[in-house]
Amino acid sequence: MTIKTEVSRFHIHDELTAPEATAPLIKGIQTAGGAVSKFIGVLAESPAALRSYMRLRAELRKGELSQATRERIGLALSERRSDGYTLNQYARTARAAGLG
């Protein structure tokens, strides 16, 4: 579920408002158990941008760091930046990766 703010510079799409070309991509993210972040909601305005971002993420996942290590790094950066939204997202995915 995408969290929308009252004031936003960009339209943040979700599975119901996404353009026809990006709706299947967003549904695929949700089906895989991922959350549709505000960033992805904004990228959904452009099918090419969203596809490119998803390809980039797929390539980064092929790295040598374990899922748990990637989640720890994300948690540390979110905490350092005092970004509550991202910290909540990483906390959820860290639990799914088996971190306490």
Side-chain angles (χ1 to χ4, degrees):
M1 168 157 219
T2 304
I3 300 171
K4 296 182 181 182
T5 59
E6 290 183 26
V7 179
S8 178
R9 298 170 92 186
F10 303 100
H11 184 76
I12 302 171
H13 291 285
D14 57 18
E15 67 279 0
L16 301 176
T17 64
E20 187 176 328
T22 56
L25 298 172
I26 289 181
K27 288 181 192 237
I29 292 169
Q30 291 176 327
T31 302
V36 178
S37 67
K38 289 189 263 186
F39 180 70
I40 291 176
V42 170
L43 284 180
E45 184 70 28
S46 168
L50 184 56
R51 277 193 305 272
S52 298
Y53 176 72
M54 291 177 69
R55 276 191 226 121
L56 171 71
R57 295 273 308 186
E59 288 299 319
L60 289 174
R61 284 194 183 107
K62 294 178 183 176
E64 295 182 16
L65 294 177
S66 69
Q67 178 69 26
T69 301
R70 290 193 305 261
E71 297 301 329
R72 284 185 188 101
I73 292 169
L75 283 166
L77 289 172
S78 303
E79 190 170 313
R80 174 74 173 123
R81 293 176 43 210
S82 300
D83 183 355
Y85 177 79
T86 306
L87 186 61
N88 286 334
Q89 294 292 324
Y90 273 109
R92 185 181 64 77
T93 56
R95 281 191 295 275
L99 298 176

